[in-house]
């Protein structure tokens, strides 16, 4: 606790200093960098302190901090339990990496723009996210949440001269703020029932099932907007491409995870939800997962593609969460426990590998000055660092063995299978459907990253002009290597993080874990990774031996054989659209897939073009019509304000008459 | 003391008509506002004695309003010093009307007699009208005329209400508040009910409650920022004080239910109507006017919901006033720099005027009720009151309306803040006086959002118990 407070105060003081020295770029940048490193260091210490049971628990480490303020309703009341600590862990790791990378990334704007304000806002965001994660008072939570929303807006609109960025930021602000209203009502209703705004008191209260359902719907709307469940996700694929890349990493890795944290916190507080809540979450999770990956497949803008993958991964996390809730509703504590563990671990893993992917994509964007995949290709040779790191991220996100994604997806499968074995018919149906969805997600994700990696890094460059690509420096590589190392670490030695996730899951269920359950979960996992690691080592050894053996036969480099076609250009290769097309065609009935092409009708080909785009169904069929409808109503009601004073005075008279009739008969 | 508070601004207003220089008038106004503020500050520790046989009394409710008025005039007077550096027009009538307004508004805050209250509110209407048409163009004259007409109708209805109250109070022979409260049992209930309806509609017109709000967007849109502050922050809340005084009587005579049901309905209407019309709006000042209607709705809603809500509403009076200072003064500062406040004509303010841009952001967040501004807390308190008293539907409608206001106001203000910078036409540099005046209110509102001082909390609790809501 003490180290967390130190970390918070470092961030607060340094953000003020950054603002103060924002004119001098060098000083503000140094303050930013060092305060970030020390603050994240202290933060990680506090998170580990809570997560590691064996560590010596100093009295200052476990205490809650409570300052009796005189804010109406609220008070400053914070404390770290295992759930908060788990999120703090991933939060500090990612914000450290993204911050250092951002410092390196934004150096090209030095002098053109006040980067100091951006850094100060970054610190502000870190402070309020920390507060959200450790708040034990609903009003404090809401206050921090509000500032998180606003600070996020100004970080996203760094390039605010561009119309698209402004619109993206505006949509982000609206979506998340509407979410805040749902949360406000939810917390007020909970507080009114529990008689206090403190989470402890709320958690000690037993809520009737009807109220619990209502609260769950509000929580799902409020937190779901932040987390990006389909169809509440519209801000996400817009905000991510608009923001500077380290902010996208932070958004995707942490900010949307705060939504997941909120849902988990509500589960801790309310505990007993009716069964249908879990089922609804499971269904929404499956929709988000499958929908997210399908939309990702149709994107040709790299950050947008990654943004849709965030939606997919939120779906996977929520599958774990949903089966956990279902398990709890059936009083199968083992199912609940494994489900929550899986959700937590995937939250951590996603933060790490998605951060890695965004940052390495940022390196690509920085050197190509474009996010359009169709203009890239063959970058593996010129940007080897970005290429290899992106590959590691891709393998992790696809759930490839020996990488961290595999571990958490295994656990989600495990939880769902556990659900199949232990629940009744109804539960079995939903669990097996979720297993189907998860399998589909896994396959499609692999396809999607084959497309992304292949089109960006393999083949030949598609731009006509010769470009000089410049790779970033160690300020950008360092954070990425850190994240890649964590991907490996968790993939090869899963026990460490799985035990961390156990702590968090136990904080959610709040009941003692059955004897031997932890071992039953983790032993097959360790065994599997050992075998796979062994296989991996053999594979590497074989590759090495082959290389040694073929040393004397040098490899010939020639043009690809193109059916004897003479003039091969770099445009004659698979594009991102053509790669994705066959799969998207299969799902045409549920996707709004638009292809525009000029059909060739003559014998001699003339200039022609083909383009495909995937429209977001929830945006086009839900939100746009809704706002159109509202606008039409608003326009139709314009006659009320006709501008005639006489009519306005008539309204007063009407009001008077109506009141007289209503109240005095 | 109370007499001085009213008389000094009045006499100085007359003195302004003497041939003195522009700068002298501005300085005089500043000095008077400062003196007023100091006197009011002294009232926080020493309650002044009643004067004129109990016609003028300062109680907790009055003190809240009086402090608001005082602070608003002080910040406006500082702002004006900067504003008139770039304004060619004569400020004689303008300053005089402001001083008259200060005098009459103070009278509203301290009058303990329903007749006197009515006279004071009527006088504020008269003196505020010339302020709206400061720019003397066609639209501003039309807005002034409409404002006068609609508010006069309202005031006339309030006069009817006062008469009916007098009939109801036939047995006690006076409209002095303490006497009425003491003789509450002898009031004729039916006449009282009639008078309450007339009061609500009448003073509601002045507050700008829907559907009598129609003068607001035009008047605020045409008035300069300074006048917008005084009207939206102080003038409307003077009428709210009248509604609070009526609530005192209603709670004493057991008409709480009767009164609060009307207030809740008109509160919800005032939340819904601006939410409907904000979406098509382009002008910042007009958007802020809609926001003002919404805040008035929140005030009466809080009053209608009773104790917890009333606490929220009284707190919201203060926060709303401070938020209005930030909103309208910043809008006025933008208007002076660009000659317009339309989001399609002014863009990229933050790139040319970073400070004004930041203040505009503050104005947006404060107006919409976002933390760290205290409006967040008072809105939360009022919503909480709705939920505690099991008005779930009410809370839901309120939240939806607030969301729409957020969408509408956000679009306009963010459009002005961000975007490609446009070259300003008039003033090239930021003005320190203008920014100081706004920054004062920003800091105060953030301060209230982080910590509520004990004296203020006591004052609000006293005021709640004074109204006697259950």
């Amino acid at each position: 606790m003490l180290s967390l407070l130190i970390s918070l105060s470092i961030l607060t003081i340094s953000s003020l200093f950054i603002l103060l020295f924002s004119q001098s770029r060098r000083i503000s940048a140094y303050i930013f960098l060092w305060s970030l490193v020390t603050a994240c260091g202290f933060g990680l210490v506090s998170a580990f302190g809570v997560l590691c049971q064996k560590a010596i628990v100093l009295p200052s480490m476990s205490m809650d901090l409570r300052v009796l303020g005189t804010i109406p309703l609220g008070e400053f009341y914070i404390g770290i339990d295992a759930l908060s600590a788990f999120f703090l862990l991933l939060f500090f790791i990612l914000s450290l990496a993204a911050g250092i990378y951002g410092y390196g990334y934004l150096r090209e704007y030095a002098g053109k723009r006040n980067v100091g304000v951006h850094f100060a806002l970054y610190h502000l965001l870190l402070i309020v996210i920390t507060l959200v994660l450790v708040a034990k008072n609903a009003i404090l939570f809401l206050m921090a949440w509000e500032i998180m929303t606003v600070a996020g807006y100004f970080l996203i609109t760094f390039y605010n001269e561009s119309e698209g960025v402004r619109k993206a930021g505006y949509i982000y602000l609206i979506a998340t703020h509407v979410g805040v209203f749902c949360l406000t009502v939810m917390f007020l209703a909970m507080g009114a029932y529990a008689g206090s705004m403190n989470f402890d008191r709320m958690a000690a209260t037993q809520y009737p099932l009807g109220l619990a359902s209502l609260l769950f719907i509000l929580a799902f709307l409020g937190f779901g907007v932040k987390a990006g469940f389909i169809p509440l996700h519209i801000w996400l694929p817009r905000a991510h491409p608009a923001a500077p890349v380290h902010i996208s990493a932070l958004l995707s890795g942490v900010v949307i995870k705060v939504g997941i944290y909120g849902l988990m916190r509500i589960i801790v507080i309310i505990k007993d939800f009716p069964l249908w809540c879990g089922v609804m979450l499971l269904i929404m999770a499956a929709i988000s997962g499958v929908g997210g990956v399908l939309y990702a497949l149709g994107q040709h803008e790299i950050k947008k593609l990654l943004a849709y993958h965030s939606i997919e991964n939120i779906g996977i996390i929520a599958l774990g969460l949903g089966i956990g809730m279902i398990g709890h509703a059936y009083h199968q504590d083992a199912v609940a426990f494994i489900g929550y563990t899986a959700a937590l671990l995937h939250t951590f893993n996603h933060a790490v590998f998605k951060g890695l992917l965004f940052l390495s994509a940022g390196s690509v964007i920085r050197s190509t000055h474009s996010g359009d995949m169709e203009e890239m290709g063959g970058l593996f040779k010129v940007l080897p660092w970005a290429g290899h790191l992106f590959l590691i991220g891709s393998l992790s996100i696809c759930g490839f063995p020996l990488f961290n994604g595999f571990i958490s997806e295994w656990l989600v499968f495990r939880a769902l299978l556990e659900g199949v074995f232990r629940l009744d018919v109804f539960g079995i149906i939903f669990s097996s459907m979720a297993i189907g969805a998860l399998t589909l997600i896994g396959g499609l994700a692999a396809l999607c990253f084959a497309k992304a990696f292949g089109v960006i890094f393999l083949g030949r460059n598609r731009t006509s002009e010769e470009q000089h690509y410049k790779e970033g420096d160690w300020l950008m590589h360092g954070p990425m290597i850190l994240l890649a190392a964590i991907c490996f670490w968790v993939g090869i030695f899963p026990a460490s993080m799985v035990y961390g996730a156990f702590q968090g899951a136990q904080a959610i269920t709040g009941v003692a874990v059955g004897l031997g359950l932890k071992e039953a979960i983790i032993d097959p996992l360790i065994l599997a990774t050992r075998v796979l690691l062994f296989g991996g080592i053999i594979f590497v050894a074989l590759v090495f031996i082959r290389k040694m053996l073929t040393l004397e036969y040098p490899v010939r480099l020639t043009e690809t054989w193109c059916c004897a076609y003479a003039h091969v250009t770099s445009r004659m290769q698979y594009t991102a659209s053509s790669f994705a097309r066959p799969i998207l065609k299969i799902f045409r009935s549920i996707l709004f897939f638009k292809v525009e092409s000029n059909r060739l009708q003559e014998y001699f080909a003339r200039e022609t073009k083909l383009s495909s785009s995937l429209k977001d169904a929830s945006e086009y069929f839900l939100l746009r019509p809704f706002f159109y409808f509202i606008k039409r109503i608003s326009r139709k009601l314009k006659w009320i304000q006709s501008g005639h004073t006489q009519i306005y005075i008539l309204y007063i008279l009407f009001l008077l008459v109506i009141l007289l009739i209503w109240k005095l008969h | 003391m109370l007499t001085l508070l009213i008389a000094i601004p009045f006499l100085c207003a007359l003195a302004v008509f003497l041939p003195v220089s522009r700068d002298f008038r501005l300085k005089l106004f500043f000095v008077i506002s400062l003196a007023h503020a100091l006197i009011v500050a002294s009232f926080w520790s020493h309650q002044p004695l009643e004067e004129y046989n109990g016609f003028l009394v300062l109680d907790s409710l009055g003190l809240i309003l009086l402090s608001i008025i005082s602070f608003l005039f002080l910040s406006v007077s500082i702002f004006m010093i900067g504003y008139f550096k770039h304004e060619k027009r004569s400020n004689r009538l303008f300053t005089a009307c402001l001083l008259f307004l200060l005098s009459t508004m103070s009278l509203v805050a301290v009058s303990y007699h329903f007749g006197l209250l009515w006279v004071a509110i009527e006088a504020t209407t008269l003196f505020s009208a010339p302020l709206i048409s400061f720019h003397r163009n066609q639209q501003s004259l039309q807005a002034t005329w409409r404002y006068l007409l609609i508010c006069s109708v309202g005031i006339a209805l309030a006069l009817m209400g006062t008469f009916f109250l007098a009939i109801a109070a036939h047995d006690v022979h006076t409209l002095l508040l303490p006497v009425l409260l003491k003789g509450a049992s002898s009031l004729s209930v039916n006449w009282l009910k009639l008078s309450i309806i007339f009061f609500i509609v009448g003073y509601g017109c002045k507050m700008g409650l829907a559907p009598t709000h129609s003068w607001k967007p035009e008047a605020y849109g045409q008035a300069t920022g300074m006048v917008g502050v005084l009207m939206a922050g102080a003038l409307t809340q003077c009428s709210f004080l009248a509604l609070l005084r009526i609530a005192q009587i209603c709670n004493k005579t057991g008409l709480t239910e009767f009164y609060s049901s009307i207030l809740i309905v008109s509160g919800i209407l005032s939340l819904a109507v601006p939410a409907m019309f904000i979406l098509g709006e382009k002008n910042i000042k007009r958007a802020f006017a809609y926001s003002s209607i919404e805040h008035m709705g929140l005030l009466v809603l809080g009053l209608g919901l009773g104790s917890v809500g009333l606490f929220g509403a009284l707190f919201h009076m203060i926060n709303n006033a401070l938020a209005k200072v930030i909103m309208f003064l910043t809008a006025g500062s933008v208007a002076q720099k660009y000659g317009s406040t339309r989001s399609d004509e002014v863009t990229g303010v933050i790139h040319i005027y970073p400070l004004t841009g930041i203040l505009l952001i503050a104005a947006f967040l404060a107006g919409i009720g976002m933390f760290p501004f205290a409006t967040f807390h008072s809105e939360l308190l009022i919503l909480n009151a709705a939920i505690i008293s099991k008005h779930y539907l009410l809370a839901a409608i309120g939240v939806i309306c607030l969301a729409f206001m957020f969408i509408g106001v956000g679009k306009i203000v963010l459009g002005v803040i961000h975007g490609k910078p446009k070259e300003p036409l008039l003033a090239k540099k930021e003005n320190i006086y203008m920014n100081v005046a706004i920054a004062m209110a920003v800091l105060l509102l953030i301060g209230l959002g982080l910590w509520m001082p004990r004296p203020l909390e006591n004052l609000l609790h006293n005021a709640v118990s004074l109204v006697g809501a259950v």
Side-chain angles (χ1 to χ4, degrees), chain B residues 41-61:
Chain B
S42 77
F43 288 164
W44 279 69
S45 51
H46 308 283
Q47 205 186 355
L49 300 171
E50 59 170 55
E51 291 173 28
Y52 295 109
N53 307 326
F55 272 63
L56 302 186
V57 178
L58 187 70
D59 60 2
S60 309
L61 290 171

Side-chain angles (χ1 to χ4, degrees), chain B residues 17-336:
Chain B
F17 285 108
L18 298 173
V20 286
S21 78
R22 264 163 84 88
D23 282 351
F24 178 76
R25 284 189 213 115
L26 292 176
K27 277 173 196 152
L28 180 71
F29 181 47
F30 172 68
V31 169
I32 297 293
S33 306
L34 191 64
H36 192 272
L38 289 176
I39 294 174
V40 172
S42 77
F43 288 164
W44 279 69
S45 51
H46 308 283
Q47 205 186 355
L49 300 171
E50 59 170 55
E51 291 173 28
Y52 295 109
N53 307 326
F55 272 63
L56 302 186
V57 178
L58 187 70
D59 60 2
S60 309
L61 290 171
L63 186 55
I64 294 174
L65 184 67
L66 200 58
S67 312
I68 290 172
I69 293 168
S70 213
F71 181 82
L72 258 51
F73 272 91
L74 186 62
S75 42
V76 164
S77 69
I78 297 173
F79 186 85
M80 261 172 76
I81 298 174
Y83 188 85
F84 275 96
K85 284 214 168 106
H86 300 288
E87 179 65 60
K88 301 280 180 303
R89 214 177 284 278
S90 160
N91 62 4
R92 176 179 296 171
L93 186 64
F94 194 74
T95 329
C97 280
L98 282 177
L99 284 166
F100 279 130
L101 204 55
L102 178 57
S103 160
T104 47
M105 278 193 196
S106 307
L107 182 60
V108 173
V110 298
S111 62
Y112 236 42
H113 182 276
F114 275 94
L116 186 62
L117 186 69
W118 181 85
V119 170
I121 289 181
E122 167 72 47
T124 59
T125 314
L126 280 181
F127 291 123
S128 54
L131 292 172
I132 298 174
S133 61
F134 176 64
H135 287 299
R136 293 288 149 74
N137 50 20
Q138 197 195 338
Q139 291 100 344
S140 68
L141 282 176
Q142 191 186 354
T144 311
W145 178 69
R146 185 166 291 165
Y147 165 72
L148 260 182
L149 207 61
I150 292 176
C151 285
S152 306
V153 171
I155 282 293
L157 292 176
L159 184 61
M160 297 284 284
T162 314
F163 288 157
F164 290 139
L165 183 62
I167 297 172
H170 187 65
D171 293 341
V172 290
H173 287 295
T174 174
L175 287 177
L176 275 174
L177 189 65
V179 185
L180 280 176
L181 290 180
K182 205 176 278 171
S185 51
S186 68
L187 296 181
S188 140
V189 174
N190 283 330
W191 283 108
L192 192 59
K193 281 183 174 175
L194 194 63
S195 87
I196 287 168
I197 291 175
F198 274 86
F199 269 132
I200 292 180
V201 177
Y203 288 131
C205 274
K206 203 74 207 310
M207 259 179 100
L209 293 174
T212 57
H213 66 282
S214 43
W215 56 273
K216 258 193 171 179
E218 274 180 69
Y220 292 1
Q222 291 304 324
T224 60
M226 301 161 282
V227 181
V229 170
L230 297 179
M231 293 182 67
L235 205 53
T236 46
Q237 316 222 58
C238 286
S239 312
F240 185 62
L241 183 74
L243 291 188
L244 284 169
R245 298 273 184 232
I246 299 157
Q248 282 181 286
I249 295 178
C250 286
N251 289 332
K252 212 50 183 223
T253 46
L255 287 177
T256 315
E257 178 62 36
F258 174 84
Y259 189 50
S260 61
S261 58
I262 301 177
L263 287 181
I264 288 175
V265 168
S266 65
I268 273 296
L269 262 180
S270 308
L271 283 175
V273 167
M276 270 192 295
F277 291 110
I278 189 73
L279 291 179
E281 206 46 72
K282 282 250 156 42
N283 190 331
I284 294 188
K285 278 188 189 165
R286 285 178 66 98
F288 287 170
Y290 282 115
S291 160
S292 165
I293 300 169
E294 181 218 351
H295 283 298
M296 291 302 122
L298 281 170
L299 284 182
V300 289
L301 201 59
L303 177 56
L305 287 169
S307 57
V308 183
L310 182 58
F311 184 84
L314 292 173
F315 190 31
H316 197 67
M317 270 175 85
I318 298 170
N319 299 335
N320 173 42
L322 291 173
K324 289 294 175 296
V325 173
I326 308 172
M327 291 158 83
F328 280 101
L329 286 190
T330 317
S333 146
V334 170
Q336 193 179 45

Side-chain angles (χ1 to χ4, degrees), chain A residues 21-33 103 110 119:
Chain A
F21 290 109
S22 64
Q23 297 303 324
S24 154
R25 161 170 78 74
R26 188 176 286 262
I27 298 176
S28 69
Y30 271 111
I31 298 174
F32 171 72
L33 210 55
Y103 168 71
F119 287 151

Side-chain angles (χ1 to χ4, degrees), chain A residues 171 202 278 435 581 597 622 663 665:
Chain A
I171 289 175
M202 285 181 178
I435 290 177
R581 178 103 196 267
S597 69
L622 271 170
K663 280 297 172 187
H665 309 295

